[in-house]
Amino acid sequence: MHIKSILLFVALLAVSLAGIAQQRTIRGTVTDSLTQQPLIGVTVAVPGTATGVVTDANGHYNIVLPNGKNTLRFSYIGYSDLSIKTIPGNDELNAFLSAVAQSLNSVVITGYTQQSKSRTTGAVTSLPTAVTTQAPVASFDVMLQGRAPGLYVGTPTGQPGEAGRVSIRGLGSINGDVNPLYVVDGVPVANNSFAALNPEDFETIHVLKDAAATAQYGSRAANGVIVITTKKGKAWEDGKVRVNYRGQFGVSGLNSSKWDMMNTDQRLQFEEILQDPTLPGWAYSRNNPNKLVNGISVPKTAEDYTFGNQYLDSLRQINTDWRKHLLRQGRIQTHSLNVSGGNEKTTFYLSGGYFNQEGIALNSGMERYSLRANVQNRSGRFKTTLNMGISTATIKYIQDEGVAEEGGAAVGGGGITEKNPIAALYYALPYESPYGKPGPGRYGANALDAYANSLKKDNQIKAVLSLNETVELTKDFQLTGTVGMDFQQNNTTNYMNPDSWYGKLVSNGNQGSYQRGLANRLGLVATGGVRYNKQWGKDHEIEANLLSEINKIKGNGFGFTGYGLVPELPGTPSGITPGTPDNNFIPVVSGQTTPNRLLISQIALFRYSYGDKYTFSASLRRDGSSQVPATNRYKFFYAIGGNWNILAEDFLKDQQAFSTLRLRASYGLTGNAGGFTSDYGFRTLYNPADYNGNKTLVPMTPGNPAYNWEMNRIGDVGLEFGFFHNRLRGEIDLYNRVTEGLFVNRNLSHTTGFPTIAANAGKVRNRGVELMLEGDAIKNRDFSLTLGVNLAYNKNNILSLGGEEQIFADEATMNIVGRPLGSFYAVRWKGVDPQTGAPIYLDKAGKETNTYNPDDAVPLKAVYDPPLIGGATVSIRYKRFDLSMLVSFIHGMSRLNYPDLYAHSGSPNYRQYSQSKDMLNIWQKPGDISQYPGAQYATYFTSRDVTSADYVKLRNITLGYNIPVPVRMSGAIRNVKVFASGQNLLSIMKWRGFDPEDANDIAQYEYPMPRTITGGINVTF
């Protein structure tokens, strides 16, 4: 019996040891596939079992793989789930997780609150911050294009440092602000100041689109909100700090444009076709028997023919490509160094950055230095967060670039001047020498003279600071308070050398000019209140916030322009000659005390969640603004929303198709206070004037005591879905947005002494659908492929203009009831009469006519705000390689193409400028079939000049490789990654010119978007 017991024990032991032997311990590290930063708190689980662990502060994990199991699943908020099969005999398994464009389970930060995506009732798109650093772009908002459904970014210029025109879910205002509200670490910041912020310090970017998400911002939320938080420090497990360096170097050049101006041979051939004796191609042609002598045509002599041949041969030797002289290949470099660390009580993040980008046009570029310090401390019941960022940027501009204000070029002006080198690319003749002296008609030399003898720059200082304090009164009650500051200073200089061509054309004294301006803007915010968060039972949770807030914005500025410069003192105000009534050097002095406004608010936020099944939210905000008359000063803004997790219902507990299925809906009221004519627009304002030699005041604006807010009502229904364990995921939203009380300038009787009065007299509706789809087509240990697409269709319609049927916006667009904002209007173009070469137009009744009459202009179907926008992304990971790509596109956008109009005209008004090669096919004799009328006919703006600005662009492509770190260096270097990136590599478009991409309706020789290629390295110590 004793022997049998021993044998049985041995047998059981052997079986147990065999089972243990089949269990394996797998270890490894989980990192972000793009940044190579370790991910803390990643869940590492064995599917089908209860076995699971989370990664530590270094991203490390150890897990025992049960008998018969060989797969691990990695999951983390904001990243795509990843399942990997282990390899027998290999106990080390590293995982690289890819951030998703819009995770269905991410944390959503709205500025005042934060909660999981599953308990969010609003339409919110969360963007991975890595998108802002894939290519070195000075203003980060430009990088948002194509990243989120419903988010449109128009880039008015490729000038380094210039901000984009950003709109969310269409244009909701005529004269008001259409840009969203930007909030950085709880501080509202100016929407044109991102050139001075370092995007490498950003940690989260959330785009708030519907009322449930935005109504908590009340009167500033009509155009959506973009909430940004900056990076925070981490307490690493080993107690050591982490140091990360990222550097990039690259070049930029002209993009894939359709610039097709004539060379010298073609230009001389064109001048022969014109038979204009003032142009050398015909004046010296052997086919021209006459010459002009004192304006009289006389026959040529043999000497004239010989000289003409020699002169034309000398012109053909020049053949200047002005792109090589007025543009360049710009160099780019960026450097960023950050340090993070701390302990269980205090963490810190410190960073410094340097950015330097040369523009592709001479004299343009941007250089920025930035510093940031973020500190968090938790001591007992107190939690303190201090965020400080300061930077300085120097931006250099070209002269007279054709950038117009949003909504129309007429109000922006500029662009169509010889000082603008982009215009000179179209004006300058190919037989003009780049080494010649400037003068009348020498457009290339004049532009080079402006380059050499002028300076236009802006020195900016930007500081964004916030301090947040949270006090835990009890487990459920918290006191919270935030104070913040957004400061910006712009110090501008515009200098014109007195000895230059343009310096001698300055109207005051013809001896150059020196202009300086200093403008300060200070935004202050203070928010304080109580937060109540209570959970009881198994499923119930309530969160409530009661807050008060004060927003104060103050500004001031002054400037001067001096004349009569002394050449020996260039680029300094010391060279200004004092102005007297006799010398015509009277300086111009300017000043301002705006902005100057105050907003006082009370805010109530409420959320109730029943487990993960139901969530209900409500918000109420009362705003009082100094910009509004007392009778309308205080308004209430509100929103309600609901979220239903359909999969939590019992009737779907056995289904296998969906892994996520949530329905949400919201409705609310927001406002727009960003369109008032001034901070005192409702008052009667006065300007100083001179009357009979005495100083006096004259009315400047009539005032309007009934002035009110623009009110924005938004309804939204969204469905979030996922299939195959969220391998395929997406969202679809339907929305209806109606804006009432539009800011418009109503016409007044001339007897009032004022042409218009600012009033609330219109209504516009934006209605549309947004779709986001993303899927992991392939996911395994060595290879993954993720594809994504987002689309947004928006239909804009003017419902009322306060009794008016139409209001002109500018020379090319008008606002008409029943049509979208910014509809083009023009005389319709029919073609060219093949017998006479005369242009054929259509009159108002649609009948053909050869007479151009501006009164025959009619509204066109073309609009400048694109109804269809979107983007497509591709992310590939193969072992240590990763590749990401973004394609963005718009459809339905049109623009008046002035450069193309001037480059396709043989009329006497424009023939002195260079022309497109197409003009060699101009009509010459009866029977010719041509798109271009005979040169004897004048050129006018017609419907054919309103051309499609649609495009499909390969916006960005980035390739990276994670270099293996040798074991002997692993204690000092944690990760090394090298990468290469390309921006604006390819454009598919019908547009004739450098680039259709812009923020307004009229093209006026804007600075083209550059093509950029960079290489870089990211090292973590």
Side-chain angles (χ1 to χ4, degrees):
M1 191 68 179
H2 180 68
I3 297 176
K4 290 182 179 180
S5 298
I6 294 176
L7 292 175
L8 179 60
F9 174 77
V10 172
L12 291 174
L13 181 61
V15 172
S16 300
L17 290 175
I20 293 173
Q22 292 179 7
Q23 291 183 339
R24 300 164 52 204
T25 298
I26 305 297
R27 62 182 58 85
T29 304
V30 184
T31 55
D32 184 299
S33 63
L34 185 65
T35 66
Q36 290 306 296
Q37 294 295 313
L39 297 177
I40 307 168
V42 176
T43 299
V44 184
V46 180
T49 73
T51 303
V53 298
V54 295
T55 57
D56 62 18
N58 296 313
H60 299 326
Y61 74 92
N62 286 275
I63 188 170
V64 177
L65 202 62
N67 181 26
K69 299 295 183 180
N70 61 355
T71 301
L72 294 179
R73 179 183 295 162
F74 301 84
S75 58
Y76 193 53
I77 290 176
Y79 290 78
S80 299
D81 288 353
L82 179 64
S83 295
I84 304 178
K85 289 186 177 180
T86 61
I87 298 175
N90 187 352
D91 294 335
E92 184 175 352
L93 180 59
N94 297 324
F96 301 91
L97 298 189
S98 300
V100 296
Q102 185 176 5
S103 172
L104 298 176
N105 297 297
S106 60
V107 174
V108 174
I109 300 173
T110 64
Y112 295 108
T113 65
Q114 69 178 52
Q115 59 266 337
S116 67
K117 176 74 171 175
S118 63
R119 295 187 177 183
T120 300
T121 62
V124 180
T125 297
S126 302
L127 300 176
T129 54
V131 305
T132 64
T133 58
Q134 288 180 345
V137 176
S139 187
F140 103 99
D141 49 358
V142 176
M143 286 296 295
L144 299 180
Q145 188 178 80
R147 296 288 183 179
L151 178 68
Y152 170 67
V153 182
T155 51
T157 171
Q159 160 73 46
E162 286 294 285
R165 190 266 282 178
V166 181
S167 63
I168 298 174
R169 293 185 168 180
L171 301 179
S173 185
I174 294 178
N175 294 325
D177 187 9
V178 298
N179 285 285
L181 171 69
Y182 292 89
V183 179
V184 177
D185 289 332
V187 180
V189 298
N191 58 24
N192 61 350
S193 61
F194 286 102
L197 294 179
N198 183 5
E200 300 215 18
D201 290 331
F202 296 171
E203 187 167 57
T204 66
I205 302 173
H206 298 282
V207 182
L208 316 184
K209 296 182 284 188
D210 72 336
T214 64
Q216 55 193 304
Y217 289 97
S219 61
R220 299 167 296 165
N223 302 306
V225 182
I226 296 179
V227 178
I228 300 167
T229 64
T230 55
K231 293 177 180 177
K232 306 297 186 292
K234 295 181 175 66
W236 306 103
E237 186 181 58
D238 57 8
K240 299 179 180 179
V241 300
R242 296 290 187 271
V243 180
N244 188 81
Y245 167 78
R246 180 183 176 91
Q248 293 187 73
F249 297 86
V251 295
S252 58
L254 191 62
N255 60 25
S256 54
S257 59
K258 295 184 178 179
W259 185 85
D260 59 349
M261 308 307 286
M262 293 178 178
N263 60 29
T264 296
D265 287 336
Q266 292 165 333
R267 173 67 191 189
L268 295 177
Q269 180 185 347
F270 176 67
E271 292 178 357
E272 274 209 83
I273 294 173
L274 296 180
Q275 296 188 2
D276 186 336
T278 64
L279 299 175
W282 177 246
Y284 299 105
S285 171
R286 295 194 65 85
N287 297 322
N288 180 8
N290 301 312
K291 65 179 180 179
L292 289 177
V293 178
N294 297 323
I296 300 174
S297 180
V298 298
K300 288 182 179 178
T301 64
E303 290 81 4
D304 293 328
Y305 283 111
T306 300
F307 176 80
N309 290 339
Q310 294 174 346
Y311 185 77
L312 292 178
D313 285 342
S314 66
L315 291 183
R316 291 187 179 96
Q317 298 299 316
I318 298 175
N319 197 28
T320 303
D321 183 351
W322 284 103
R323 290 174 296 184
K324 297 180 179 179
H325 296 275
L326 298 176
L327 302 181
R328 67 181 173 186
Q329 186 180 79
R331 293 172 294 180
I332 304 170
Q333 61 170 313
T334 69
H335 304 274
S336 179
L337 182 69
N338 63 70
V339 182
S340 65
N343 52 40
E344 66 277 4
K345 289 187 177 182
T346 304
T347 60
F348 62 88
Y349 172 86
L350 308 174
S351 75
Y354 174 74
F355 179 97
N356 191 336
Q357 180 178 3
E358 293 179 339
I360 62 173
L362 280 70
N363 283 15
S364 68
M366 173 178 162
E367 186 176 34
R368 176 182 67 213
Y369 298 87
S370 63
L371 292 172
R372 173 161 291 278
N374 291 349
V375 180
Q376 289 180 300
N377 175 264
R378 180 182 291 274
S379 178
R381 296 178 178 270
F382 296 89
K383 180 181 178 181
T384 305
T385 301
L386 176 64
N387 302 303
M388 299 184 295
I390 186 168
S391 59
T392 176
T394 299
I395 306 174
K396 295 181 179 179
Y397 300 93
I398 60 175
Q399 295 286 336
D400 289 357
E401 187 192 353
V403 176
E405 296 180 4
E406 299 147 9
V411 292
I416 308 178
T417 76
E418 298 175 36
K419 282 190 289 186
N420 177 7
I422 309 304
L425 290 171
Y426 287 86
Y427 297 164
L429 298 174
Y431 52 65
E432 180 191 344
S433 171
Y435 309 107
K437 293 183 178 181
R442 298 175 180 174
Y443 308 113
N446 293 348
L448 289 173
D449 181 78
Y451 269 147
N453 293 285
S454 68
L455 173 66
K456 186 177 183 181
K457 69 176 182 178
D458 180 9
N459 291 322
Q460 296 183 3
I461 297 176
K462 178 76 171 180
V464 180
L465 292 83
S466 68
L467 173 65
N468 176 266
E469 188 72 32
T470 301
V471 183
E472 294 182 357
L473 299 179
T474 68
K475 178 182 177 183
D476 304 324
F477 273 103
Q478 293 179 336
L479 289 179
T480 180
T482 298
V483 292
M485 180 185 76
D486 172 35
F487 173 77
Q488 182 165 337
Q489 182 181 91
N490 292 73
N491 190 340
T492 58
T493 302
N494 197 346
Y495 167 73
M496 187 62 65
N497 191 320
D499 289 336
S500 67
W501 166 254
Y502 288 110
K504 295 175 182 178
L505 296 179
V506 172
S507 57
N508 285 30
N510 308 112
Q511 293 184 32
S513 64
Y514 182 89
Q515 182 183 67
R516 286 291 297 271
L518 182 69
N520 295 313
R521 181 189 184 276
L522 176 64
L524 300 172
V525 61
T527 307
V530 62
R531 175 179 297 132
Y532 176 73
N533 188 270
K534 176 70 173 178
Q535 297 180 352
W536 73 95
K538 181 180 178 181
D539 298 311
H540 302 281
E541 181 185 8
I542 283 180
E543 181 183 355
N545 293 265
L546 293 176
L547 306 167
S548 291
E549 184 174 88
I550 298 176
N551 282 273
K552 175 70 175 177
I553 299 178
K554 288 181 62 67
N556 58 70
F558 63 89
F560 64 86
T561 304
Y563 304 97
L565 305 187
V566 177
E568 290 77 15
L569 297 172
T572 171
S574 301
I576 298 174
T577 300
T580 68
D582 300 324
N583 64 14
N584 201 24
F585 294 152
I586 302 296
V588 176
V589 180
S590 62
Q592 68 184 61
T593 57
T594 56
N596 188 6
R597 54 184 179 264
L598 178 67
L599 181 71
I600 299 177
S601 310
Q602 296 83 41
I603 309 162
L605 307 174
F606 175 82
R607 175 180 62 86
Y608 167 74
S609 296
Y610 180 76
D612 287 329
K613 185 181 293 188
Y614 308 114
T615 294
F616 170 80
S617 71
S619 66
L620 181 65
R621 178 173 178 134
R622 180 178 181 262
D623 277 350
S625 173
S626 63
Q627 292 178 283
V628 188
T631 54
N632 297 320
R633 181 154 296 166
Y634 294 95
K635 289 290 183 182
F636 283 96
F637 303 93
Y638 64 87
I640 57 173
N643 186 330
W644 176 28
N645 182 7
I646 305 175
L647 289 186
E649 300 293 345
D650 292 338
F651 61 83
L652 286 177
K653 65 180 180 180
D654 295 326
Q655 66 84 33
Q656 301 295 324
F658 290 95
S659 47
T660 297
L661 189 62
R662 286 195 292 265
L663 180 68
R664 50 178 168 75
S666 66
Y667 179 80
L669 176 71
T670 60
N672 184 10
F676 295 116
T677 52
S678 78
D679 289 336
Y680 319 101
F682 63 91
R683 298 179 177 177
T684 301
L685 302 178
Y686 297 85
N687 262 348
D690 182 82
Y691 180 76
N692 196 27
N694 298 311
K695 295 298 181 182
T696 186
L697 293 175
V698 297
M700 181 179 65
T701 61
N704 182 1
Y707 216 16
N708 208 340
W709 316 76
E710 282 187 348
M711 307 300 281
N712 195 66
R713 303 180 189 274
I714 314 173
D716 181 278
V717 177
L719 181 68
E720 303 169 8
F721 54 86
F723 302 92
F724 317 117
H725 302 289
N726 282 347
R727 286 279 295 270
L728 176 63
R729 51 200 173 269
E731 292 189 29
I732 185 170
D733 275 84
L734 302 173
Y735 64 88
N736 186 63
R737 173 189 175 196
V738 177
T739 308
E740 300 177 290
L742 292 182
F743 297 120
V744 296
N745 294 322
R746 298 189 64 177
N747 294 324
L748 292 177
S749 169
H750 291 294
T751 60
T752 65
F754 301 100
T756 62
I757 184 173
N760 304 91
K763 182 190 293 187
V764 65
R765 180 181 66 207
N766 286 278
R767 179 180 291 171
V769 58
E770 298 170 352
L771 174 66
M772 187 282 293
L773 283 174
E774 189 175 61
D776 302 316
I778 302 173
K779 284 180 64 172
N780 56 47
R781 177 178 180 177
D782 291 331
F783 184 75
S784 65
L785 170 63
T786 301
L787 306 174
V789 63
N790 69 82
L791 297 168
Y793 174 76
N794 181 75
K795 185 175 182 180
N796 182 281
N797 188 30
I798 299 175
L799 303 179
S800 171
L801 288 174
E804 302 284 342
E805 285 300 314
Q806 60 188 35
I807 296 177
F808 289 91
D810 54 35
E811 62 193 274
T813 58
M814 67 186 341
N815 297 312
I816 310 169
V817 174
R819 290 177 177 266
L821 284 172
S823 295
F824 284 90
Y825 72 101
V827 175
R828 288 169 290 178
W829 172 266
K830 179 64 175 177
V832 177
D833 188 329
Q835 298 304 313
T836 64
I840 304 174
Y841 311 104
L842 295 180
D843 64 15
K844 254 186 170 34
K847 295 181 180 180
E848 294 185 2
T849 176
N850 296 125
T851 302
Y852 180 86
N853 184 355
D855 292 334
D856 287 329
V858 299
L860 309 178
K861 292 183 179 180
V863 296
Y864 80 88
D865 189 51
L868 180 63
I869 61 176
T873 58
V874 178
S875 298
I876 300 173
R877 179 190 58 81
Y878 176 69
K879 293 185 177 179
R880 291 184 172 273
F881 290 93
D882 57 73
L883 174 72
S884 64
M885 182 170 63
L886 169 67
V887 176
S888 65
F889 56 87
I890 64 171
H891 179 73
M893 180 178 182
S894 298
R895 301 183 72 215
L896 166 55
N897 193 341
Y898 263 142
D900 196 58
L901 184 156
Y902 296 152
H904 288 86
S905 174
S907 76
N909 290 332
Y910 304 119
R911 64 177 56 165
Q912 71 270 25
Y913 303 133
S914 186
Q915 295 288 311
S916 166
K917 298 174 183 178
D918 298 339
M919 291 299 290
L920 295 175
N921 298 319
I922 191 175
W923 184 93
Q924 299 180 53
K925 62 184 184 302
D928 284 352
I929 304 299
S930 175
Q931 302 178 55
Y932 310 107
Q936 67 270 34
Y937 299 101
T939 299
Y940 300 102
F941 158 49
T942 67
S943 60
R944 76 165 178 171
D945 303 306
V946 179
T947 58
S948 171
D950 297 348
Y951 61 79
V952 177
K953 286 192 176 185
L954 179 55
R955 181 70 57 183
N956 177 263
I957 185 169
T958 300
L959 175 64
Y961 175 69
N962 299 290
I963 300 176
V965 178
V967 176
R968 66 180 181 276
M969 299 179 63
S970 59
I973 300 177
R974 300 176 186 275
N975 299 103
V976 180
K977 181 177 182 178
V978 293
F979 57 91
S981 179
Q983 186 84 353
N984 294 319
L985 297 181
L986 176 66
S987 298
I988 301 173
M989 59 187 184
K990 295 180 181 178
W991 183 262
R992 298 168 62 97
F994 288 116
D995 206 316
E997 193 173 346
D998 209 326
N1000 56 55
D1001 56 346
I1002 302 179
Q1004 290 191 107
Y1005 305 103
E1006 293 89 349
Y1007 196 122
M1009 290 291 291
R1011 172 187 291 161
T1012 303
I1013 298 175
T1014 61
I1017 186 170
N1018 192 95
V1019 184
T1020 302
F1021 301 93

